[in-house]
Amino acid sequence: MKATYDQALEYDKNDPLAIYKEEFYIHDSRLYMDGNSLGLLSKRAEQALERSLNDWKEHGIDGWTDGQEPWYFLSEKLGEMTSPLLGAKPHEVISTGSITTNLHQMVATFFQPEGKKTKILTEELAFPTDIYVLKSQLALHGLNPDEHLQVVKSENGLTLNEDTIIENMTEDVALVLLPSVLYRSGQLLNVKKLTEEAHARGIIIGFDLAHSVGIIPHQLHTIGCDFAVWCTYKYLNSGPGGVGGLFIHEKHHGKKPGLAGWFGSNKVKQFDMVHEMTHADTAGAYQLGTPHIFSSAPLIGSLEMFHEAGIENIREKSLKLTNFLLECLSKEDLTSTFEIITPLEENSRGGHIAVAHKEAARICKALKRKGIIPDFRSPNVIRFAPIALYTSFEDVWTTVQSLKEIMNQQEYKDFSNDRNVIA
Ligand SMILES: *Cc1c(COP(=O)(O)O)cnc(C)c1O
């Protein structure tokens, strides 16, 4: 009964995480396969936000220290709550900023070009904002990005070869920035191996965990990677614009932040209001200004579920979901129509399955008409992200059936093959 409706039901019946689905707001007539772009709202996240709003209502200014969730300590508390997902010590993680601002902070802190070591190494499939950050940081040092940004090439435009990355860790490289999971193809890189190879060459290494936090267990402390950044509005379901996070290994604590702001202060001294800053001796030192409380609060409720469910169990179900998706695609003979661009080996796969088709933009529009929310990445990629906490195996089965209908009936021809403003 491989890749059948009955098998989907059987998997759902025996799924220990199935209980979480009802904690989320899921539209009756929709199937949401886009949780890797914006995770859905859960009731617990909503309640956590309401508690913070109520603290404001009740306490005014005193909400900073006297509310149910005192705002003054919220970033540290959320850092601590996120740390098990990263295999980090609580004081190595802080909830702050966005990937973009945290990357600026980390590169400003760690990139100190000296002597021969004047280059930053990254890769050509990187998310655009990461590249913009690196180029602008180089420019601030008066270095020409054309010369000093070393960009690893992809052989097929979809995935990276780890040996090629390592070969590019040359003597002139000071810092490496890589994604844990490539946002388009969903390839998972070996964070441990790449960290060891960088360190063996005296290179600082950091990772963008946008597509692995909340889905793949990490061991950042033990591996010893220097820094990492992530967002929380994707797999962690914190809501649009939810506050991101950063990890900085404790071996670097005390290192002067490249960018300083008063919320990076030692919390006891912060309100001394003096012009000589005393930095926190934790990851908190790399914060800038007043935290965005209402964009942080939902995460309190959301993270509770990750702790209860367990990140190892989440990864196990996620792989089972993506395996089932692959089996259904193959069973319905869609693997000849679509090119599967996500690596098939489990230890090279993140949380989504990406397929390529030249009509991808309008196939996505046809899926939406059927109530299935996929995600299109220009120019020709569709990503399907079944989410361990709220996607069932039945949902996956239905998605593939709809895709089959759209292809067989050429339903996509009702739409134009261009992307919407947000894709
Ligand atoms: C989503 C994503 C971002 C977004 O950065 P923000 O600063 O949160 O807007 C950055 N990098 C990667 C790899 C992403 O997937």
Side-chain angles (χ1 to χ4, degrees):
M1 71 171 195
K2 229 171 153 41
T4 59
Y5 184 63
D6 286 347
Q7 187 181 32
L9 297 185
E10 177 75 19
Y11 279 160
D12 283 330
K13 207 174 81 197
N14 298 311
D15 170 17
L17 302 188
I19 48 170
Y20 290 99
K21 189 171 185 171
E22 64 183 34
E23 298 220 30
F24 286 84
Y25 287 100
I26 301 176
H27 209 282
D28 281 346
S29 59
R30 271 185 227 147
L31 270 179
Y32 199 73
M33 289 287 163
D34 204 7
N36 59 342
S37 283
L38 179 68
L40 292 179
L41 174 65
S42 64
K43 290 169 191 165
R44 287 199 232 187
E46 180 183 48
Q47 285 156 8
L49 175 58
E50 279 168 2
R51 280 199 300 276
S52 278
L53 275 167
N54 203 53
D55 283 341
W56 182 25
K57 207 187 277 177
E58 290 288 319
H59 301 282
I61 185 73
D62 290 332
W64 283 101
T65 47
D66 297 349
Q68 284 190 75
E69 295 289 355
W71 306 324
Y72 192 51
F73 305 101
L74 186 56
S75 308
E76 285 75 12
K77 174 178 172 161
L78 283 170
E80 192 174 330
M81 287 180 78
T82 319
S83 61
L85 302 181
L86 302 155
K89 296 189 175 180
H91 62 278
E92 290 176 317
V93 182
I94 190 78
S95 163
T96 189
S98 63
I99 289 183
T100 308
T101 61
N102 290 335
L103 269 182
H104 271 297
Q105 173 66 295
M106 290 294 96
V107 179
T109 302
F110 282 108
F111 180 56
Q112 288 152 351
E114 232 184 77
K116 258 197 205 164
K117 284 195 174 299
T118 59
K119 288 191 179 171
I120 297 179
L121 177 66
T122 190
E123 49 90 14
E124 71 167 344
L125 305 174
F127 197 91
T129 205
D130 299 38
I131 299 289
Y132 304 157
V133 166
L134 297 179
K135 286 186 177 172
S136 72
Q137 287 287 334
L138 284 165
L140 284 171
H141 285 280
L143 297 170
N144 181 352
D146 293 342
E147 263 171 62
H148 296 271
L149 187 63
Q150 188 150 314
V151 183
V152 178
K153 295 265 174 287
S154 158
E155 282 154 29
N156 56 6
L158 304 167
T159 53
L160 297 170
N161 181 327
E162 282 165 356
D163 293 331
T164 312
I165 299 175
I166 293 162
E167 280 161 27
N168 271 274
M169 294 178 180
T170 45
E171 274 195 325
D172 45 3
V173 172
L175 183 145
V176 185
L177 174 68
L178 293 169
S180 48
V181 172
L182 276 63
Y183 77 98
R184 203 183 262 118
S185 66
Q187 178 190 13
L188 167 64
L189 296 178
N190 187 330
V191 171
K192 179 168 190 279
K193 177 173 157 192
L194 292 164
T195 300
E196 286 166 358
E197 296 289 345
H199 287 169
R201 292 163 178 76
I203 302 172
I204 292 282
I205 185 162
F207 288 89
D208 179 337
L209 309 182
H211 284 274
S212 64
V213 70
I215 179 149
I216 293 166
H218 283 289
Q219 285 79 35
L220 298 185
H221 177 81
T222 313
I223 286 173
C225 106
D226 299 291
F227 69 88
V229 298
W230 56 90
C231 52
T232 60
Y233 47 79
K234 291 173 180 161
Y235 289 103
L236 291 180
N237 312 317
S238 72
V243 172
L246 77 81
F247 161 89
I248 176 164
H249 198 281
E250 70 178 357
K251 67 191 168 193
H252 297 302
H253 290 183
K255 192 174 173 57
K256 198 170 175 208
L259 308 172
W262 75 315
F263 263 81
S265 297
N266 173 305
K267 298 198 93 63
V268 179
K269 304 239 166 93
Q270 181 172 340
F271 278 83
D272 288 350
M273 306 304 274
V274 297
H275 286 183
E276 291 70 42
M277 183 170 172
T278 308
H279 295 281
D281 54 7
T282 62
Y286 305 87
Q287 296 172 89
L288 296 173
T290 306
H292 306 288
I293 299 301
F294 298 146
S295 295
S296 303
L299 199 52
I300 306 171
S302 180
L303 285 174
E304 272 176 29
M305 279 185 277
F306 284 82
H307 293 310
E308 283 174 24
I311 187 67
E312 302 283 345
N313 299 328
I314 288 173
R315 173 62 168 163
E316 191 186 322
K317 178 172 173 190
S318 164
L319 282 172
K320 202 167 167 184
L321 283 164
T322 49
N323 280 330
F324 187 63
L325 176 55
L326 290 168
E327 286 160 18
C328 289
L329 288 171
S330 162
K331 171 133 195 240
E332 304 304 344
D333 215 19
L334 289 164
T335 40
S336 50
T337 320
F338 291 90
E339 182 194 356
I340 312 285
I341 65 176
T342 303
L344 299 178
E345 313 82 63
E346 291 188 354
N347 58 8
S348 303
R349 194 195 309 159
H352 69 258
I353 296 296
V355 302
H357 193 288
K358 65 180 190 326
E359 309 285 1
R362 51 182 174 167
I363 294 170
C364 282
K365 292 177 195 171
L367 279 165
K368 278 199 163 175
R369 183 169 64 183
K370 283 188 174 327
I372 291 169
I373 317 297
D375 162 288
F376 171 68
R377 285 295 111 142
S378 184
N380 65 345
V381 173
I382 307 174
R383 302 185 305 183
F384 294 103
I387 304 296
L389 292 183
Y390 57 79
T391 308
S392 66
F393 290 88
E394 185 183 355
D395 293 344
V396 170
W397 186 85
T398 308
T399 299
V400 175
Q401 297 309 305
S402 302
L403 188 61
K404 185 172 83 171
E405 273 167 35
I406 289 167
M407 300 317 292
N408 287 351
Q409 310 301 326
Q410 303 196 341
E411 292 173 24
Y412 57 88
K413 292 199 167 158
D414 296 349
F415 302 90
S416 63
N417 197 34
D418 48 12
R419 72 170 170 86
N420 296 328
V421 178
I422 295 206

